[in-house]
Amino acid sequence: MVKISKIGAVALAMALSVTFLTPTTALAAKKVEDSMTLQKVSDYYDDAAIIDKDVKSFADITETAATYGAARDAAYKKMFDAFVANGIATTTKPADNVYCDDRTISGTTYYYDDSDTTWSYDDDDDGTVYTVKLANIRGTVYKNSATGKTSMFRSEVDSNYTADEAAANQFQSAIMLKKGEITYLRIPLEGGDTAISKVKSSKKSVVTAKAYNKLGGETVTNADGVHIEPKYDAATDKTTYTVWYQPTVGARVVVGTYEKYDDAEAAVKASTQSANSATRYIALDAKKVGKSKLSFSIVNKNGTVTPVKVNVYVVEKVAVFKQVTFAGKSLLDDYSKTNNINYGKVRGEDYWNLSTKKSGKLVVKTNKNFQVKKIEIGKLYKETITEGMSGTNPQTGEQYDHSNTYSAYNRTSSVTEHRVDLNGDGDFDDIIGGISESEVTYKFTPVKSGKKITLSTVGNDGGFDSSLNWTSKDGKNTKGEILTGSSSYKNRNYFATTVIRVTYFDKISKTYGQEDFFVKCAVKK
């Protein structure tokens, strides 16, 4: 039997104590890890609900000529000239980073946003005369409701849009991290940029930064690193060829512009620019609330080094909203809090966001780096629709005529979906504040945080009373009597919904966003 000395026993006891204590220390909470991509300035857009669409309709166009080409060009020229006159197209080329389409007609090039510009086309001929018809012609003017900026091009109305190609292709100027988390920042590289170096945080007490090589990779290719872009000049009837390449950040670099394609192709062959690309990562450990500056360098295969700087904000909360409460009840998604409107509910239950109060104070607050710009309250409203023998249905805009079937007809019902000319331009084709004019449900009014609001009492979950009375024009029963009929139906709603719509500004991405919160209350009709 092995004997253990007194000193050995003490040493063993100490060793055992260390052995059992070490795992206790290791059980400390592991930091949350996540990843995010460092975006470009041009990657950020305002919320779609912020962008109004003023849709303009045009009369059909019919042109005839001795040749198909002449009839076609005459029709298209008339349409695009009308587009120019109404601010839907232009003959001035927009910046290269503006999404657009173009069409050249009789030596004139028109530029337009084809995402919301539409028409139908038809042609015919009798052997001697050609006819071209353009119908259902519609174009759109865009307006940013938060900034007032308008344009025929959707991309131009975003709040952070810039025509400066170099500025648009820079990495975002700031990012936001949550305190106590580790974020692996993805850096996409292109145009022969394949590495990053000199990774540094200006305030290591706020956030530490280091290259992280356990993520990412590189693509190696013998593809051409430069591109040839032809450009046709209708005025001179000549085409030039521009040779260029795109680095990760900044404007594209033009190697040269040539009148002959062979010369452009020779420039491509002579270029040493690489098409290799890569994805690199930086590990960011957010230690405490504050601001730091992340800096690193992008390294190209040819040795070119490009410095990058990004402001890093470490915050307690990365969510937009700090508080959204009605009558003291939170409308945010943290259902574990006792003051949440849905506290205690579980998945599958009914009656979510149901308030026992019909009125109360509304409070809306954002977290740091966000700013409330506008608060609106949306309520349903009821409209009584009466349909007689003939006319226009005010809800759908459709024409109706019952005179072929009935000698008398009257239908009455109530609806909560309406056609409303929200911008007062005389049509119901537009989208204003994210709402289609042909399907308006909620009527919105502005309010201030901290003020008392009253919830809607108009429901939409059940329906409303309706009635119908009619007399047939020719139909008879077996007694020879003209058929008549009447019906009525009683209905009711159980809940009414109020929308709290908040427009906010994101100071990090420099864009506008919008979020809706819904509150229900019980109603008796």
Side-chain angles (χ1 to χ4, degrees):
M1 185 174 77
V2 178
K3 291 184 179 180
I4 300 175
S5 67
K6 197 170 186 180
I7 295 177
V10 172
L12 178 61
M14 291 180 65
L16 288 173
S17 69
V18 172
T19 301
F20 287 109
L21 287 173
T22 300
T24 304
T25 305
L27 288 175
K30 186 178 183 295
K31 286 190 175 182
V32 173
E33 297 176 301
D34 203 353
S35 64
M36 66 182 293
T37 299
L38 188 62
Q39 304 281 4
K40 299 291 184 64
V41 172
S42 57
D43 291 333
Y44 285 98
Y45 304 92
D46 291 320
D47 194 302
I50 301 294
I51 309 302
D52 294 344
K53 296 182 179 182
D54 182 3
V55 181
K56 300 179 184 295
S57 299
F58 297 84
D60 295 351
I61 295 173
T62 302
E63 291 292 326
T64 58
T67 66
Y68 165 72
R72 177 201 60 204
D73 288 354
Y76 275 117
K77 180 171 175 52
K78 183 175 288 187
M79 181 179 72
F80 276 97
D81 284 344
F83 284 171
V84 171
N86 286 273
I88 294 169
T90 178
T91 55
T92 302
K93 188 179 185 306
D96 288 337
N97 59 358
V98 170
Y99 171 79
C100 71
D101 201 354
D102 64 81
R103 183 182 288 264
T104 300
I105 307 164
S106 304
T108 301
T109 301
Y110 300 87
Y111 302 92
Y112 63 103
D113 191 327
D114 64 343
S115 54
D116 288 296
T117 304
T118 59
W119 61 86
S120 61
Y121 173 92
D122 190 24
D123 62 67
D124 194 13
D125 73 272
D126 62 4
T128 57
V129 176
Y130 291 82
T131 301
V132 169
K133 181 178 181 180
L134 305 178
N136 305 309
I137 304 169
R138 293 157 69 93
T140 302
V141 175
Y142 304 91
K143 179 180 179 180
N144 189 312
S145 62
T147 65
K149 215 197 273 191
T150 62
S151 175
M152 65 187 72
F153 301 113
R154 165 64 182 85
S155 56
E156 284 190 339
V157 300
D158 281 307
S159 55
N160 66 349
Y161 167 76
T162 173
D164 185 338
E165 183 183 359
N169 196 45
Q170 296 294 331
F171 281 123
Q172 62 190 98
S173 61
I175 59 175
M176 186 167 55
L177 306 178
K178 185 175 181 179
K179 188 188 79 172
E181 293 187 355
I182 296 175
T183 300
Y184 299 106
L185 186 64
R186 180 178 181 269
I187 316 294
L189 305 174
E190 63 176 319
D193 295 333
T194 56
I196 58 174
S197 65
K198 299 179 181 179
V199 177
K200 181 182 177 182
S201 169
S202 64
K203 286 188 179 180
K204 295 180 181 179
S205 61
V206 174
V207 61
T208 61
K210 63 180 180 180
Y212 188 73
N213 298 321
K214 292 182 180 180
L215 289 172
E218 180 178 345
T219 298
V220 178
T221 176
N222 63 352
D224 295 327
V226 291
H227 311 274
I228 299 176
E229 181 178 320
K231 182 180 179 181
Y232 174 71
D233 187 342
T236 62
D237 193 29
K238 291 183 179 180
T239 300
T240 56
Y241 304 91
T242 299
V243 178
W244 61 276
Y245 67 89
Q246 179 67 64
T248 298
V249 294
R252 64 181 185 173
V253 178
V254 175
V255 176
T257 300
Y258 307 90
E259 293 184 358
K260 297 180 179 179
Y261 182 81
D262 289 346
D263 293 340
E265 196 171 44
V268 170
K269 292 178 181 179
S271 172
T272 59
Q273 181 65 29
S274 169
N276 289 4
S277 60
T279 300
R280 302 302 180 195
Y281 282 82
I282 296 174
L284 300 172
D285 189 349
K287 295 184 175 298
K288 71 174 187 179
V289 172
K291 177 184 176 183
S292 180
K293 188 177 289 291
L294 168 67
S295 60
F296 62 92
S297 294
I298 298 173
V299 183
N300 193 275
K301 296 291 286 186
N302 62 18
T304 303
V305 176
T306 305
V308 176
K309 292 184 178 181
V310 180
N311 289 323
V312 179
Y313 295 90
V314 177
V315 296
E316 292 283 359
K317 301 287 185 181
V318 294
V320 175
F321 295 100
K322 180 179 181 180
Q323 178 184 359
V324 180
T325 57
F326 166 72
K329 295 294 184 180
S330 175
L331 305 181
L332 299 178
D333 292 338
D334 188 355
Y335 306 140
S336 64
K337 293 185 177 179
T338 56
N339 75 323
N340 192 281
I341 194 170
N342 294 310
Y343 176 71
K345 288 189 176 294
V346 297
R347 187 187 297 245
E349 283 195 48
D350 295 328
Y351 314 132
W352 288 74
N353 289 22
L354 181 62
S355 174
T356 57
K357 302 288 182 67
K358 299 296 178 70
S359 64
K361 184 164 70 172
L362 172 67
V363 178
V364 178
K365 295 180 181 179
T366 59
N367 283 307
K368 189 176 181 180
N369 297 316
F370 299 95
Q371 182 180 6
V372 173
K373 287 296 183 179
K374 183 169 59 174
I375 306 172
E376 300 169 284
I377 300 301
K379 298 181 181 181
L380 295 170
Y381 63 100
K382 186 170 65 172
E383 178 182 11
T384 299
I385 302 295
T386 300
E387 188 174 309
M389 283 293 292
S390 64
T392 302
N393 186 308
Q395 184 186 22
T396 64
E398 296 177 354
Q399 299 288 324
Y400 64 86
D401 187 351
H402 300 296
S403 60
N404 289 331
T405 307
Y406 302 100
S407 61
Y409 186 95
N410 183 272
R411 180 176 68 87
T412 301
S413 61
S414 296
V415 296
T416 56
E417 185 176 289
H418 324 270
R419 289 202 315 155
V420 182
D421 182 9
L422 296 173
N423 62 351
D425 67 349
D427 62 46
F428 305 97
D429 301 325
D430 311 321
I431 298 177
I432 307 299
I435 302 170
S436 173
E437 290 184 325
S438 62
E439 299 174 337
V440 176
T441 51
Y442 293 93
K443 182 182 291 184
F444 286 90
T445 55
V447 296
K448 296 289 186 181
S449 177
K451 299 295 183 181
K452 183 179 179 180
I453 66 168
T454 301
L455 299 182
S456 172
T457 57
V458 177
N460 66 329
D461 62 311
F464 302 96
D465 297 351
S466 61
S467 65
L468 172 64
N469 295 280
W470 55 271
T471 300
S472 176
K473 184 176 181 180
D474 302 311
K476 295 181 181 180
N477 61 18
T478 55
K479 298 178 182 179
E481 301 168 332
I482 292 291
L483 291 174
T484 62
S486 65
S487 60
S488 62
Y489 190 83
K490 289 193 172 295
N491 210 339
R492 60 159 292 186
N493 293 287
Y494 301 94
F495 302 100
T497 302
T498 299
V499 182
I500 300 168
R501 174 166 292 178
V502 184
T503 302
Y504 61 89
F505 182 68
D506 184 336
K507 297 179 182 179
I508 300 297
S509 66
K510 296 179 174 58
T511 56
Y512 289 87
Q514 190 176 91
E515 189 159 344
D516 292 344
F517 301 89
F518 298 88
V519 184
K520 292 182 178 181
C521 67
V523 293
K524 295 182 179 180
K525 60 179 180 179

